[in-house]
Amino acid sequence: MEKLPGGRRMVSSLGLGQRCWEVTLDEERGRLSWRHPPRGAGENCFVPTSEIIAVEETELNKKQRNIGKWQKMEKPYAFTESRPKQLLVYINPYGGKRQGKRIYEQKVAPLFSLASISTDVVITEHANHAKDNLFEVNINKYDGVVCVGGDGMFSEVMHGLIGRMQKDSGIDQNNPKAPLVQCNIRIGIIPAGSTDCICYSTVGISDPVTSALHIIVGDCQPLDVSSVHHKNTFLKYSVSLLGYGFYGDILKDSEKKRWMGPIRYDYSGLKTFLSHHYYEGTICFQPAKHTLGSPRDKDSCRTGCYICKKSEQQLAEQHKERGLKHEEDEEEWKVIKGKFLAINAVNMSCACPRSPKGLSPAAHLADGSADLILVRKCSRFDFLRYLVRHTNQDDQFDFSFVDVYRVKSFQFTSKLSEDNESNVTDIGKKRFGHFCRDHPVCCCNIANSTWNCDGETLDSSAIEVRVHCQLMKLFARGIEEKCKDEAAYSQSSDEQLL
């Protein structure tokens, strides 16, 4: 390391973003100044020392910057107590890209070792393996839980953690009005799935190394969770998409075609679009009056989001003043009846590489609300225009047949209740054979659709949903805004470093 005046040293650092910087360590002040090597002298910025994971000896004017040996920091926890020391890791070797084990062993495990993090690794062998295991392990010995896989793997770990927390606290999850206990144990997501929507929406990129670095430095991002009930029976938790109609039909059809791999979603999507089914029902919802934002805002949720912080404070004040029970009883419910091609409720933007803005670009991660999107019956051409808006920068809610509301709870009931539908179907089959609902290729309308809950189907069409503000926490910091110079430099730096 090159000595500089005033007790400073010149080092290269491995930190968030996988980039290699020229860094000046000021030991007396306890801070680092850095600059990109290609940029001109004097353009320095400052970053906290907690961002640094390892150091490499280097020379100030050396052209090649990655030939030295990376060294562990002498005191890896000296800068911040939020860094994890021991993690429980669940790896799904079968889901998504079927690369979970390889990605963890080659890209993530070496970084954890470099940061002196101990891990207990569990390779899942069947569905709900991680969920069931979380009810048995001594969870208090871990600083966090890491899931290696796709959105389904994350959902399994989330259900295990939340369920374990409610069980230990004596909370009845079947009570839709029960105040759930927050989970203080953070979840880290190492993306290895087909879409990795949750990782993309909370970090801004689906990259295993970037996610591992967020875990190592101990980042913390609160996350809203929606509970889904049917007739006082708990069904599921949701953090991304609750979709009825279009997205529910896609999922239901794609489940029969798992042998096709990820391409099944494209096939089922085209098939569902051409069928153009609509569904009649009633939506009742409570507007989220505590939040400052609106679904039509241009302000997206970013690192240190002011709207999320302020909304949390206002929601806490409302609960303190009136009490949760009284508040729900006092606030009026709005009722909307109609014929819908799609009913979507999202707790986050639901962005992914195919849809960089997501289903609701201004949705917030931790403001205690969900964006309820109602797409009424319209022509195929108009519905196609709406779907295309998800892939570009245009306002996707700027249609006469699309309504969007920011809500804290809602209920949906299809036109036909489940019992009546069952009776009608049985009678119809006896008298007339199969109903046309058993043959979706025809143009007749289907009575009920299926709810898509974070990539899993729900058996009940009639549901009650409530948003729980910041119920859990992730090893993330939200999406950071990139400056133009950094974005241009990142690709070349990543290639050199890796």
Side-chain angles (χ1 to χ4, degrees):
M1 299 183 184
E2 183 171 342
K3 293 287 185 180
L4 296 175
R8 295 179 295 161
R9 293 180 293 174
M10 179 64 70
V11 301
S12 287
S13 68
L14 174 63
L16 281 173
Q18 314 169 50
R19 303 176 184 88
C20 197
W21 319 101
E22 272 187 6
V23 180
T24 303
L25 173 59
D26 189 335
E27 294 177 318
E28 295 179 355
R29 298 184 180 180
R31 69 179 184 179
L32 301 163
S33 64
W34 57 265
R35 68 182 176 90
H36 298 304
R39 297 169 67 181
E43 297 186 27
N44 293 343
C45 301
F46 294 95
V47 293
T49 51
S50 58
E51 298 290 85
I52 304 304
I53 298 166
V55 296
E56 176 195 27
E57 292 187 6
T58 184
E59 296 176 7
L60 182 60
N61 297 318
K62 186 172 65 174
K63 292 183 179 180
Q64 191 160 356
R65 320 194 64 79
N66 57 349
I67 60 175
K69 182 180 179 181
W70 291 104
Q71 303 174 12
K72 293 182 180 180
M73 302 193 74
E74 295 180 4
K75 298 179 180 179
Y77 310 113
F79 300 123
T80 174
E81 289 298 322
S82 63
R83 288 192 176 189
K85 301 176 180 63
Q86 188 165 4
L87 297 170
L88 177 58
V89 181
Y90 291 102
I91 301 176
N92 180 4
Y94 307 111
K97 304 181 180 71
R98 298 183 180 272
Q99 300 289 322
K101 192 170 183 291
R102 181 190 65 81
I103 288 174
Y104 177 78
E105 291 176 347
Q106 295 184 7
K107 296 186 176 182
V108 179
L111 291 175
F112 285 171
S113 176
L114 195 64
S116 301
I117 296 177
S118 301
T119 57
D120 290 336
V121 179
V122 178
I123 307 295
T124 59
E125 300 174 353
H126 53 80
N128 292 322
H129 185 169
K131 176 184 175 182
D132 296 339
N133 185 255
L134 281 167
F135 277 86
E136 301 172 356
V137 299
N138 179 13
I139 199 67
N140 296 322
K141 65 182 284 191
Y142 300 105
D143 301 306
V145 179
V146 176
C147 57
V148 184
D151 293 338
M153 186 63 185
F154 169 81
S155 179
E156 189 174 322
V157 170
M158 175 188 69
H159 278 80
L161 272 181
I162 297 178
R164 171 69 180 273
M165 187 65 65
Q166 309 318 309
K167 179 183 177 182
D168 293 347
S169 303
I171 302 296
D172 181 12
Q173 293 184 95
N174 287 320
N175 181 1
K177 295 184 178 181
L180 301 183
V181 177
Q182 289 184 325
C183 295
N184 294 322
I185 299 176
R186 288 166 289 177
I187 299 179
I189 308 173
I190 303 298
S194 301
T195 56
D196 299 312
C197 169
I198 297 170
C199 181
Y200 195 94
S201 297
T202 55
V203 177
I205 187 174
S206 299
D207 174 65
V209 176
T210 300
S211 294
L213 294 174
H214 279 292
I215 295 170
I216 291 170
V217 301
D219 280 330
C220 184
Q221 170 63 54
L223 194 64
D224 294 337
V225 179
S226 292
S227 60
V228 185
H229 289 78
H230 169 70
K231 294 183 178 179
N232 292 323
T233 300
F234 170 73
L235 299 180
K236 288 281 185 182
Y237 290 115
S238 171
V239 295
S240 56
L241 169 68
L242 267 170
Y244 185 84
F246 183 72
Y247 288 105
D249 291 350
I250 289 177
L251 180 63
K252 186 176 181 179
D253 186 76
S254 66
E255 286 295 299
K256 306 172 186 176
K257 302 175 176 60
R258 284 187 168 273
W259 55 271
M260 296 177 66
I263 197 174
R264 69 183 185 272
Y265 296 115
D266 295 327
Y267 175 83
S268 296
L270 177 60
K271 180 181 176 182
T272 302
F273 171 77
L274 293 176
S275 65
H276 202 61
H277 289 136
Y278 66 87
Y279 303 92
E280 294 188 63
T282 302
I283 285 279
C284 305
F285 64 88
Q286 286 182 305
K289 296 180 180 180
H290 66 277
T291 184
L292 301 179
S294 162
R296 303 297 296 271
D297 289 342
K298 300 300 180 182
D299 297 327
S300 301
C301 188
R302 293 293 181 261
T303 301
C305 179
Y306 171 78
I307 290 178
C308 288
K309 291 181 179 179
K310 198 66 178 175
S311 297
E312 178 198 12
Q313 293 173 2
Q314 293 192 9
L315 191 61
E317 290 174 2
Q318 288 181 8
H319 288 179
K320 186 176 180 180
E321 291 175 1
R322 295 184 290 179
L324 185 59
K325 257 187 182 177
H326 294 103
E327 180 187 343
E328 288 186 346
D329 293 337
E330 288 177 8
E331 290 194 10
E332 63 176 320
W333 289 73
K334 293 190 175 181
V335 180
I336 296 178
K337 296 183 179 182
K339 300 176 181 179
F340 306 99
L341 287 170
I343 299 173
N344 301 321
V346 297
N347 287 66
M348 56 179 65
S349 66
C350 292
C352 64
R354 286 190 174 186
S355 178
K357 290 288 187 179
L359 293 178
S360 185
H364 288 266
L365 297 174
D367 67 343
S369 71
D371 286 355
L372 179 63
I373 307 167
L374 308 179
V375 184
R376 297 177 182 273
K377 180 184 175 183
C378 61
S379 67
R380 280 193 180 87
F381 177 72
D382 281 340
F383 189 55
L384 178 62
R385 289 170 58 210
Y386 167 72
L387 294 177
V388 170
R389 289 280 178 94
H390 291 73
T391 64
N392 57 39
Q393 302 296 319
D394 296 333
D395 183 359
Q396 54 195 266
F397 304 131
D398 189 22
F399 293 103
S400 59
F401 54 88
V402 177
D403 298 316
V404 60
Y405 307 91
R406 186 149 288 175
V407 304
K408 62 180 181 179
S409 61
F410 74 91
Q411 299 175 2
F412 173 78
T413 306
S414 62
K415 186 177 180 181
L416 298 175
S417 66
E418 291 182 357
D419 292 338
N420 290 337
E421 180 190 356
S422 176
N423 293 335
V424 170
T425 302
D426 293 339
I427 294 172
K429 286 183 177 180
K430 289 179 181 178
R431 294 186 178 179
F432 308 107
H434 289 292
F435 265 60
C436 61
R437 57 167 295 164
D438 294 328
H439 303 277
V441 292
C442 75
C443 298
C444 299
N445 188 43
I446 299 176
N448 279 339
S449 177
T450 301
W451 281 99
N452 178 340
C453 180
D454 290 0
E456 296 184 19
T457 58
L458 297 182
D459 296 331
S460 303
S461 60
I463 62 172
E464 180 179 350
V465 181
R466 179 178 159 207
V467 183
H468 301 267
C469 185
Q470 303 187 11
L471 184 62
M472 58 173 299
K473 299 174 182 176
L474 301 181
F475 281 107
R477 62 174 61 167
I479 298 176
E480 296 180 289
E481 296 286 0
K482 268 190 177 182
C483 66
K484 294 181 180 179
D485 292 336
E486 183 179 340
Y489 177 69
S490 61
Q491 183 175 359
S492 61
S493 297
D494 291 348
E495 292 173 354
Q496 292 177 9
L497 183 60
L498 298 177

